[in-house]
Amino acid sequence: MEFQAVVMAAGGGSRMTDLTSSIPKPLLPVGNRPLLWYPLNLLERAGFEEVIVITRKEIQKMLNLDTKMKLDFVCISDNMDMGTADSLRHIHQKIKTDVLVLSCDLITDVDLYKVVDLFRTHDATLSMLMKKTHELTEVVPGQKGKKKPVEQRDFIGVDDTGKRLLFMANEADLDEELVIKRSILQKHPRMHIRTGLMDAHLYCLKKYVVDFLVENRTITSLRSELIPHLVRRQFSSPTSLQQGLDNKEEDQKKKEQASLDIYSFIKEDNSLLKPASDNSCWNDHRGDMNETLHEGKVRCYVHIMKEGLCYRVNTLGLYIEANRQVPKLLLNLGLEEPLVHGSAQITDRGMVGSDSIIGSCTQVGEKTSIKHSIIGSMCTIKDKVKITNCIIMNSVTIEEGCCLQGSVICHNAVIEKGADIKDCLIGSDQRLETKAKHVNEVIVGTEQLMEI
């Protein structure tokens, strides 16, 4: 691989704090594997041998990952509030080649080469992955009957091929009108504007983009600042210096502006080779290279997945949905592991659904039914329990006669006899008393009910 891979795993999971307040986001179990395992597995399947993982010390200490790759952990101090661009800037001395950046919350079965080949074929500055957004069908614990938060839409402009990324803007940054620059339409008169696409936070970037970030410290986020900036700069002229200025202060200011222009970080081709490239009928890139040789030097591309699985696990609802899809994903990845761990002790195996996952050393009692659920390791589930559409994390105890439906039960929780739990989130170390009844609640921390 001619790329270095970087996985961002230092974020706090601010949109799902009821889960991440006690479990760091990269360690959240999805299909009984830590969330961080999924982007690492994607890279390993694509042939990467080394990965830089940006994380925090407490997360590194708790990680136990099964991978053949060499993991180079770079830990960020807990008191440092870094955005994704800040994090990439933080490791710039380690970056020697073009770079592939992924978020730790990405779960996908995409063919990674479809994104990488776009980058190679068009000698692109950026290529990225998108997929149609998911409409959640399951009830999210604590949110039934509440007004859904309004998500700000992204407006994505692509050319006729659907691959050249021409325009990118978020609804929050727009006035009442969607304004397209004339310079874009002059080169691409036909543009397709799409909404309802999810940015998967998977980016191929030229090495000079990292160099640009090092100097331009005003950019803190890849997603909301750097990527839109690169898309805009495709059809803008490089910042030029006017000659013969009398005002030295103004001259200095223009020099500073030019030094922060992305174009100033692009290495010029050897001038002796330019005529050859202009006239050559052969080149070492596949595809139509007219654009590469004659258009602007900043070029952005997008691979929009039409089929397959692609989730960003950044809300409670998407966390639940990703767990629902994991058995299918593991099958697609060709991981021939039994869904029920060999060390699990199950009295009535016929009462465990074929799409349920049960972790190591878990004990399941008599006449206990488990359907469409994921059970972690070291759990004790006693007799005559009914579990449907649930996520049960590690070391949970569920006593006799309980009924659990559509709920998430976090590490070390205890559900006492006869409890009836529906559409709830029960936090780590919580204890629900005998015959307790809870519907559509979030029970975490010291409070028994919290708003999401």
Side-chain angles (χ1 to χ4, degrees):
M1 271 287 177
E2 68 272 36
F3 291 92
Q4 287 176 268
V6 177
V7 176
M8 301 284 184
S14 59
R15 298 179 66 191
M16 49 198 306
T17 53
D18 289 310
L19 280 175
T20 57
S21 59
S22 59
I23 307 164
K25 183 179 178 181
L27 301 179
L28 282 173
V30 178
N32 287 344
R33 288 176 165 86
L35 185 52
L36 179 57
W37 179 87
Y38 291 90
L40 291 177
N41 176 260
L42 175 67
L43 293 169
E44 188 169 4
R45 286 185 284 115
F48 282 89
E49 296 178 352
E50 296 186 17
V51 182
I52 299 171
V53 180
I54 302 175
T55 189
R56 299 190 184 273
K57 201 71 178 176
E58 61 160 336
I59 296 171
Q60 183 190 1
K61 287 179 181 177
M62 297 169 70
L63 276 172
N64 182 19
L65 295 166
D66 180 20
T67 179
K68 296 176 183 177
M69 294 187 298
K70 177 185 175 183
L71 303 182
D72 179 7
F73 287 100
V74 177
C75 294
I76 293 173
S77 172
D78 288 340
N79 57 16
M80 294 176 70
D81 184 18
M82 282 191 175
T84 48
D86 296 320
S87 297
L88 195 55
R89 190 182 295 115
H90 183 67
I91 62 161
H92 76 272
Q93 291 181 334
K94 290 178 176 284
I95 304 300
K96 309 298 182 186
T97 66
D98 297 338
V99 63
L100 176 62
V101 182
L102 301 84
S103 173
C104 76
D105 61 13
L106 176 61
I107 297 180
T108 181
D109 59 1
V110 71
D111 181 353
L112 194 55
Y113 283 99
K114 290 184 177 177
V115 183
V116 171
D117 282 351
L118 270 180
F119 189 81
R120 291 169 170 158
T121 301
H122 301 281
D123 193 25
T125 304
L126 157 77
S127 67
M128 60 187 294
L129 176 66
M130 288 188 172
K131 178 94 164 49
K132 187 177 179 181
T133 52
H134 302 282
E135 291 293 332
L136 298 179
T137 55
E138 301 283 346
V139 174
V140 178
Q143 294 185 5
K144 187 176 181 180
K146 295 182 181 178
K147 190 175 180 180
K148 289 184 179 180
V150 178
E151 294 282 347
Q152 300 288 354
R153 293 177 298 170
D154 283 323
F155 292 90
I156 306 298
V158 294
D159 67 359
D160 281 337
T161 70
K163 296 177 180 178
R164 182 70 190 266
L165 183 56
L166 305 173
F167 179 83
M168 189 178 191
N170 185 269
E171 192 172 9
D173 300 325
L174 301 173
D175 294 325
E176 294 182 358
E177 295 178 331
L178 193 66
V179 179
I180 309 294
K181 282 186 178 181
R182 182 179 299 170
S183 58
I184 301 176
L185 295 176
Q186 285 173 340
K187 292 183 179 180
H188 297 274
R190 286 172 58 87
M191 183 195 301
H192 303 264
I193 300 291
R194 298 190 57 176
T195 59
L197 292 176
M198 174 199 72
D199 179 353
H201 285 217
L202 185 154
Y203 311 117
C204 292
L205 296 166
K206 285 286 193 188
K207 164 71 165 61
Y208 63 71
V209 176
V210 179
D211 298 336
F212 166 71
L213 275 180
V214 172
E215 297 300 323
N216 195 336
R217 294 183 172 271
T218 61
I219 294 177
T220 62
S221 165
L222 296 180
R223 167 65 184 88
S224 61
E225 295 174 86
L226 176 67
I227 304 304
H229 177 77
L230 295 177
V231 174
R232 286 193 302 270
R233 292 298 287 145
Q234 293 180 99
F235 306 103
S236 301
S237 301
T239 303
S240 59
L241 292 175
Q242 296 178 14
Q243 299 300 319
L245 287 170
D246 295 329
N247 189 328
K248 290 184 179 180
E249 187 176 330
E250 187 176 347
D251 186 27
Q252 180 62 31
K253 186 179 291 186
K254 286 186 176 292
K255 285 182 179 179
E256 290 173 359
Q257 288 174 348
S259 72
L260 294 180
D261 183 13
I262 185 68
Y263 283 94
S264 66
F265 292 86
I266 302 174
K267 292 181 180 178
E268 288 293 334
D269 295 331
N270 189 317
S271 58
L272 293 174
L273 297 178
K274 281 186 178 179
S277 65
D278 285 348
N279 298 314
S280 175
C281 61
W282 179 90
N283 58 65
D284 60 354
H285 292 78
R286 290 165 289 169
D288 181 5
M289 287 296 291
N290 181 62
E291 170 184 81
T292 303
L293 295 173
H294 300 290
E295 273 203 13
K297 294 180 180 294
V298 177
R299 291 179 292 276
C300 301
Y301 286 81
V302 59
H303 173 62
I304 301 173
M305 286 181 71
K306 293 181 171 62
E307 55 187 23
L309 296 174
C310 186
Y311 290 92
R312 280 205 62 226
V313 183
N314 58 1
T315 66
L316 177 56
L318 286 168
Y319 173 74
I320 293 169
E321 182 65 22
N323 273 281
R324 298 269 187 272
Q325 299 296 331
V326 155
K328 185 194 299 183
L329 175 68
L330 297 179
L331 187 64
N332 291 351
L333 298 182
L335 295 174
E336 298 178 359
E337 298 178 8
L339 296 182
V340 177
H341 196 276
S343 64
Q345 299 177 27
I346 303 171
T347 306
D348 299 322
R349 282 191 175 258
M351 298 186 74
V352 176
S354 60
D355 58 353
S356 293
I357 296 177
I358 298 182
S360 62
C361 302
T362 284
Q363 300 179 9
V364 180
E366 292 183 356
K367 298 181 180 180
T368 286
S369 168
I370 300 174
K371 305 294 182 188
H372 315 299
S373 297
I374 295 177
I375 314 295
S377 300
M378 306 291 292
C379 293
T380 301
I381 302 172
K382 298 194 174 176
D383 300 343
K384 298 179 181 179
V385 172
K386 290 184 179 180
I387 300 175
T388 308
N389 284 334
C390 288
I391 301 165
I392 313 292
M393 297 188 190
N394 297 335
S395 302
V396 170
T397 299
I398 302 173
E399 296 185 350
E400 291 90 343
C402 291
C403 182
L404 282 71
Q405 182 178 338
S407 296
V408 178
I409 315 297
C410 297
H411 299 311
N412 304 306
V414 177
I415 315 296
E416 294 187 359
K417 292 181 182 179
D420 190 352
I421 312 297
K422 183 178 180 181
D423 299 331
C424 290
L425 168 62
I426 310 300
S428 296
D429 302 302
Q430 293 297 303
R431 188 179 194 97
L432 300 190
E433 58 190 29
T434 300
K435 294 187 178 180
K437 287 196 175 185
H438 295 278
V439 178
N440 193 36
E441 294 183 26
V442 175
I443 302 173
V444 296
T446 56
E447 298 180 6
Q448 286 297 292
L449 178 62
M450 286 184 63
E451 296 287 334
I452 289 187

